[in-house]
Amino acid sequence: MEIGHHPGIPYHEAPSDLPPDHRLSPGEWVRQNLFNNWYNSLISVVMGLGLAFALVQTLDWALTSDFLIIRRNLALFMVGQFPRDELWRVWASLYLLVGASGFGSGVLFRSEQADAEEKGLPVETHSWSEMLRRFWAIVAISIFFVSFARTLLPYLGLVVGFGLFVVGRELGRRLSPALRTRGLFLSGLAGLASLLVLAGTGGLGALAVGGLLGVWTLSEVRNYAEQHGVGSGQPVPVSRRVWRWHIRYPFKRRVGARLASWVAGVVVGVIAWFVLRTVDLSGFGWDDWGGLHLTLFVTVVGISAGFPVGVLLALGRQSKLQVVKGICVVFIEFSRGVPLISLLLFSSFMLPLLFPITFGIPGPLTRAMIVVTAFSAAYIAEIVRGGLQAVPRGQIEAAQAGGMSVARIQRLIVLPQALRAVIPALVGQFISLLKDTSLLSIIGLLEFLQTSDVANAQTEFLGQGLVAVTYPFVALGYWAFAYTMSKESRRVEERLGVGVR
Amino acid sequence: MSDTVVNADATEILGKGDTIISLRGVDKFFGDFQALSNINMSVGEQEVVVVIGPSGSGKSTLIRCINRLERHDRGSIVVDGVELSDDIRAIQGIRRETGMVFQSFNLFPHLSVMDNITLAPRNVRNMPKAEAEATAMELLERVKIPDQVRKYPGQLSGGQQQRVAIARSLAMKPKVMLFDEPTSALDPEMIKEVLDTMKDLATEGMTMICVTHEMGFAREVADRVVFMADGEIVEVGPPEHFFTNPTEERTKLFLSQIL
Ligand SMILES: Nc1ncnc2c1ncn2[C@@H]1O[C@H](COP(=O)(O)OP(=O)(O)OP(=O)(O)O)[C@@H](O)[C@H]1O
Ligand SMILES: [Mg+2]
């Protein structure tokens, strides 16, 4: 008489009713996860009813509301008061930016692939559906926004924009390895130049682009010199005796190459600066910016300028030089101890007094960017400081024992580990910044949220309670970008193996 | 002899070549606490010195002063003809000539084994990438883990990590290697592989100062053993001396505990 399982079969191998890799059908999933006991069932029912109610209400709102206010004001929401007959500049700038970022992202992707191949790590294959999964919220929101357009042009613009991104990325991925760094540099330059196209940032944009061109020239000349043995102490091939006078004077030769690269860099930089300055874009400086465009721009500036400043502040706060440390501490604690609103107001009333008259009084957007950068830098500094403290002492000692300089240790050992550890907190800060830019309205900038009030103040729509239409519309815009940022941050975390190693 | 004899002189090099490290009258304080007092010691080229002593006796502090991970307060330390001072160039120069292996490995977790090893040579010695990588592969062969080159430290066993750490130090082609209890954090079965690596190094003529309680290792490869207690060098001699007739009471007590 045998009861129970067969004695010859170990218990864990006893045949079971459910194969182990059995995938649940939707019905079973619901039963197992939502109605597995009485209180869970109760919660499910209550929540389900609530959800259904919310859904019905939303649908009712969506079907009965009049979206005319958005259709009429789409341009207002997107670009504020930017002169309507100059809108082509926004498109041109957008195209340049989208193409450049597509190109840059392609180059980066390919060089990461090459890196993984070289190290024998698993190589990620390129897939557009993966890209769509990553950025679906932004793609969807752009399509949603454009769907309110009354002419065909914005639709066309959107298609061209996506097309340029795809073409840029494909080109970037196909760039030959030798040109990759140059390619990245070029896409950065194009991104900056897009600002010029748009708003005629005049001196500033020209300075930035000219400066970068100069640096580029400098490094190209130096590379050339080194590759051909000038300055590295290697013999100069006879065919390259252009630098003949260097050959007799090894010391002069080295200095000569340095000097030549500097001269070339400065000359190119200055010429570029002057040429770009003469492009006359007066009449609509960037103080005309507004809407979603302004919001995104200030956020990007706050992140990309605030991040390096923040890292420097965090390092400075650890400095043994008391003066440096003191300045950093005062700056950080001041910026963090005061609400952003008061900083912005301060910028309206105080900054103009602090600026030397010769520079002219900076416009509101310039001031706002300075304040937002300072504000985000202070927060980033404190986040990074937390990361710096989490790097074990032994890491620094091991690098010191290898004879590395303080700067190299920070750059190659400490910061990479510190930053990895604080990615989630950093991205949280970036997302806050995106939403905090809504405060720019109090210094008279027409940012994204404010456009909703402006639309509702138009005589046609005044006092009709249409904020119920415009606010959700604006909120969706914020959400798409915030959501994509947090999704991307999780991706970066996973790839860097935060908390795994 | 009584146990009142302190500050034994460790300046006499046994058998081997010229002095490469010399400490004279070195004192080190942590606040009011004196961690090293009047240390006199020399190490000859190709000599292997093992430092032993109870916990807190100042062994780590001693070798960390030699590459300036700690700053000594009095006395002089000369390494390969360069005196340690606050001059950063002297310090960098000495650090380039001395490799250090830590109890807790201290590999860089965000870099692959290859990058861990090539980082310092490429950045400090300005070695071209290809050359640095070739050297790294040679070293990994030497510590017998060439197949781990692509992994990250977190993917290696303790013994493998410590051997990578040794390879990393060797990549700078140092004249002296400092070991601070390199096997104390390892499981017994991994201790041997690390000690074997160290023995190979000694046989190849590397100058080494090792803080370790592996007396088998000391007996086999050490030219001299230095016993420390309370920040002082209490007794110095060849390994046989310690195994057969240690003179100081404190030495006897300590050896009876660890042997
Ligand atoms: N950074 C420091 N600050 C204060 N005291 C310290 C510091 N480092 C070491 N000490 C003290 O100096 C003494 C010597 O320390 P050291 O680490 O050199 O001992 P050790 O011989 O290596 O001991 P162990 O065998 O436990 O590693 C100890 O009493 C220790 O508490
Ligand atoms: Mg110790």
Side-chain angles (χ1 to χ4, degrees), chain A residues 117-121 393-406 408 411-414 416-417 420 501, chain B residues 64 67 69 92 95-96 98 100 102 106-112 115 119-120 123-124 126 129 133 150 152 168 172:
Chain A
E117 272 161 24
E118 194 196 312
K119 289 198 169 136
L121 300 170
R393 178 102 208 108
Q395 290 290 310
I396 301 169
E397 289 181 348
Q400 283 176 330
M404 287 168 65
S405 65
V406 179
R408 285 235 166 87
R411 189 162 58 83
L412 299 170
I413 304 299
V414 179
Q417 295 186 53
R420 258 164 229 235
R501 283 179 206 132
Chain B
R64 287 161 60 86
N67 67 352
L69 290 184
Q92 300 288 38
R95 283 178 178 164
R96 247 171 271 159
T98 52
M100 186 169 218
F102 301 83
N106 293 348
L107 290 179
F108 307 128
H110 60 299
L111 299 177
S112 69
D115 292 340
L119 187 74
N123 283 288
V124 180
N126 290 325
K129 186 171 183 222
E133 293 190 341
R150 283 170 172 170
Y152 282 84
R168 177 177 69 179
M172 285 292 286

Side-chain angles (χ1 to χ4, degrees), chain A residues 35-270:
Chain A
F35 297 99
N36 50 348
N37 53 40
W38 72 265
Y39 52 86
N40 205 355
S41 307
L42 186 67
I43 294 174
S44 301
V45 168
V46 171
M47 297 299 268
L49 285 177
L51 210 62
F53 181 73
L55 205 68
V56 169
Q57 291 291 311
T58 314
L59 269 179
D60 182 47
W61 169 84
L63 294 176
T64 57
S65 298
D66 185 359
F67 290 96
L68 187 65
I69 183 168
I70 291 175
R71 257 178 228 120
R72 281 278 161 77
N73 289 298
L74 190 61
L76 175 73
F77 283 107
M78 295 301 121
V79 294
Q81 306 289 20
F82 200 84
R84 293 295 183 263
D85 42 353
E86 298 285 350
L87 276 183
W88 66 270
R89 291 177 190 279
V90 181
W91 284 110
S93 158
L94 192 73
Y95 292 156
L96 200 53
L97 200 64
V98 162
S101 47
F103 186 73
S105 79
V107 173
L108 270 182
F109 180 84
R110 183 67 198 109
S111 64
E112 263 172 37
Q113 262 187 337
D115 203 43
E117 272 161 24
E118 194 196 312
K119 289 198 169 136
L121 300 170
V123 179
E124 204 180 340
T125 50
H126 187 265
S127 112
W128 281 106
S129 66
E130 164 73 9
M131 286 293 283
L132 205 59
R133 249 199 306 284
R134 280 167 62 190
F135 296 103
W136 73 266
I138 289 179
V139 172
I141 214 74
S142 328
I143 295 173
F144 176 66
F145 283 173
V146 165
S147 72
F148 288 98
R150 286 170 305 173
T151 61
L152 208 58
L153 213 63
Y155 291 96
L156 261 175
L158 196 67
V159 172
V160 173
F162 286 143
L164 277 175
F165 186 85
V166 172
V167 170
R169 195 170 155 100
E170 292 292 341
L171 280 180
R173 282 175 46 210
R174 282 168 180 69
L175 200 66
S176 80
L179 294 176
R180 270 186 209 136
T181 323
R182 290 187 179 100
L184 274 181
F185 210 90
L186 207 65
S187 58
L189 265 182
L192 264 178
S194 81
L195 294 180
L196 276 179
V197 176
L198 177 59
T201 46
L204 199 65
L207 193 67
V209 175
L212 280 173
L213 267 177
V215 172
W216 191 11
T217 313
L218 188 151
S219 71
E220 289 286 338
V221 171
R222 188 164 294 180
N223 274 352
Y224 177 87
E226 270 168 18
Q227 268 168 22
H228 295 92
V230 185
S232 60
Q234 291 157 9
V236 182
V238 184
S239 56
R240 302 283 179 192
R241 290 236 171 129
V242 240
W243 308 74
R244 192 162 299 149
W245 59 279
H246 295 310
I247 295 166
R248 261 172 287 148
Y249 303 106
F251 173 72
K252 272 195 189 166
R253 183 166 78 187
R254 209 174 316 130
V255 175
R258 287 264 161 89
L259 201 69
S261 62
W262 274 103
V263 169
V266 170
V267 166
V268 169
V270 168

Side-chain angles (χ1 to χ4, degrees), chain A residues 436-458:
Chain A
D436 286 347
T437 55
S438 54
L439 292 173
L440 293 182
S441 56
I442 66 145
I443 56 167
L445 288 171
L446 185 53
E447 46 70 43
F448 195 33
L449 188 61
Q450 177 80 358
T451 53
S452 153
D453 290 349
V454 170
N456 276 287
Q458 291 160 347

Side-chain angles (χ1 to χ4, degrees), chain B residues 59-60 103 180-181 211:
Chain B
K59 308 178 297 289
S60 300
Q103 180 175 356
D180 190 359
E181 307 204 32
V211 176

Side-chain angles (χ1 to χ4, degrees), chain A residues 154-444:
Chain A
Y155 291 96
L156 261 175
L158 196 67
V159 172
V160 173
F162 286 143
L164 277 175
F165 186 85
V166 172
V167 170
R169 195 170 155 100
E170 292 292 341
L171 280 180
R173 282 175 46 210
R174 282 168 180 69
L175 200 66
S176 80
L179 294 176
R180 270 186 209 136
T181 323
R182 290 187 179 100
L184 274 181
F185 210 90
L186 207 65
S187 58
L189 265 182
L192 264 178
S194 81
L195 294 180
L196 276 179
V197 176
L198 177 59
T201 46
L204 199 65
L207 193 67
V209 175
L212 280 173
L213 267 177
V215 172
W216 191 11
T217 313
L218 188 151
S219 71
E220 289 286 338
V221 171
R222 188 164 294 180
N223 274 352
Y224 177 87
E226 270 168 18
Q227 268 168 22
H228 295 92
V230 185
S232 60
Q234 291 157 9
V236 182
V238 184
S239 56
R240 302 283 179 192
R241 290 236 171 129
V242 240
W243 308 74
R244 192 162 299 149
W245 59 279
H246 295 310
I247 295 166
R248 261 172 287 148
Y249 303 106
F251 173 72
K252 272 195 189 166
R253 183 166 78 187
R254 209 174 316 130
V255 175
R258 287 264 161 89
L259 201 69
S261 62
W262 274 103
V263 169
V266 170
V267 166
V268 169
V270 168
I271 290 178
W273 180 41
F274 270 101
V275 169
L276 289 172
R277 270 176 64 105
T278 57
V279 180
D280 185 20
L281 297 163
S282 55
F284 41 90
W286 60 7
D287 283 330
D288 291 323
W289 290 13
L292 180 62
H293 173 246
L294 173 76
T295 290
L296 290 181
F297 176 73
V298 175
T299 307
V300 169
V301 169
I303 291 172
S304 50
F307 182 70
V309 177
V311 169
L312 287 179
L313 282 173
L315 291 175
R317 196 173 183 162
Q318 294 196 324
S319 169
K320 288 199 189 92
L321 303 172
Q322 291 304 319
V323 180
V324 175
K325 183 177 174 169
I327 292 174
C328 292
V329 169
V330 168
F331 183 90
I332 292 171
E333 294 306 334
F334 175 74
S335 306
R336 274 164 50 96
V338 179
L340 180 57
I341 292 196
S342 56
L343 280 179
L344 286 168
L345 288 174
F346 165 87
S347 83
S348 300
F349 300 115
M350 297 290 291
L351 269 187
L353 301 180
L354 296 180
F355 262 76
I357 289 299
T358 44
F359 282 165
I361 294 168
L365 181 55
T366 316
R367 295 199 305 260
M369 283 186 338
I370 295 174
V371 167
V372 164
T373 301
F375 178 78
S376 77
Y379 277 86
I380 289 169
E382 285 300 280
I383 292 170
V384 171
R385 187 166 70 108
L388 291 177
Q389 280 167 349
V391 177
R393 178 102 208 108
Q395 290 290 310
I396 301 169
E397 289 181 348
Q400 283 176 330
M404 287 168 65
S405 65
V406 179
R408 285 235 166 87
I409 294 174
Q410 292 296 343
R411 189 162 58 83
L412 299 170
I413 304 299
V414 179
L415 276 179
Q417 295 186 53
L419 294 181
R420 258 164 229 235
V422 297
I423 290 172
L426 276 178
V427 175
Q429 174 59 30
F430 296 164
I431 292 174
S432 298
L433 187 68
L434 169 69
K435 293 177 292 183
D436 286 347
T437 55
S438 54
L439 292 173
L440 293 182
S441 56
I442 66 145
I443 56 167

Side-chain angles (χ1 to χ4, degrees), chain B residues 67-220:
Chain B
N67 67 352
R68 205 20 107 111
L69 290 184
E70 304 286 358
R71 183 182 184 280
H72 62 284
D73 296 303
R74 270 200 291 271
S76 79
I77 301 179
V78 178
V79 181
D80 196 27
V82 180
E83 168 149 17
L84 267 178
S85 62
D86 285 335
D87 178 12
I88 187 73
R89 257 172 298 169
I91 296 175
Q92 300 288 38
I94 287 173
R95 283 178 178 164
R96 247 171 271 159
E97 304 304 333
T98 52
M100 186 169 218
V101 177
F102 301 83
Q103 180 175 356
S104 49
F105 325 139
N106 293 348
L107 290 179
F108 307 128
H110 60 299
L111 299 177
S112 69
V113 166
M114 176 59 93
D115 292 340
N116 261 279
I117 300 177
T118 56
L119 187 74
R122 288 183 60 190
N123 283 288
V124 180
R125 294 228 190 268
N126 290 325
M127 202 185 271
K129 186 171 183 222
E131 188 188 338
E133 293 190 341
T135 314
M137 281 318 297
E138 264 167 44
L139 288 168
L140 283 173
E141 304 270 359
R142 221 159 115 189
V143 300
K144 305 195 176 60
I145 38 172
D147 43 335
Q148 310 292 340
V149 59
R150 283 170 172 170
K151 289 201 180 155
Y152 282 84
Q155 300 168 317
L156 302 179
S157 76
Q160 291 170 332
Q161 289 192 48
Q162 193 60 297
R163 283 184 284 165
V164 171
I166 294 174
R168 177 177 69 179
S169 301
L170 292 175
M172 285 292 286
K173 305 203 164 68
K175 292 187 176 150
V176 180
M177 286 287 286
L178 307 171
F179 291 87
D180 190 359
E181 307 204 32
T183 56
S184 311
L186 295 177
D187 293 338
E189 68 268 26
M190 298 173 189
I191 292 182
K192 188 178 171 303
E193 59 193 42
V194 171
L195 287 181
D196 285 344
T197 307
M198 290 167 63
K199 280 177 203 165
D200 291 346
L201 261 183
T203 328
E204 288 159 26
M206 177 62 79
T207 312
M208 297 166 43
I209 304 182
C210 313
V211 176
T212 180
H213 291 150
E214 296 295 331
M215 296 312 285
F217 173 80
R219 171 175 269 167
E220 208 175 316

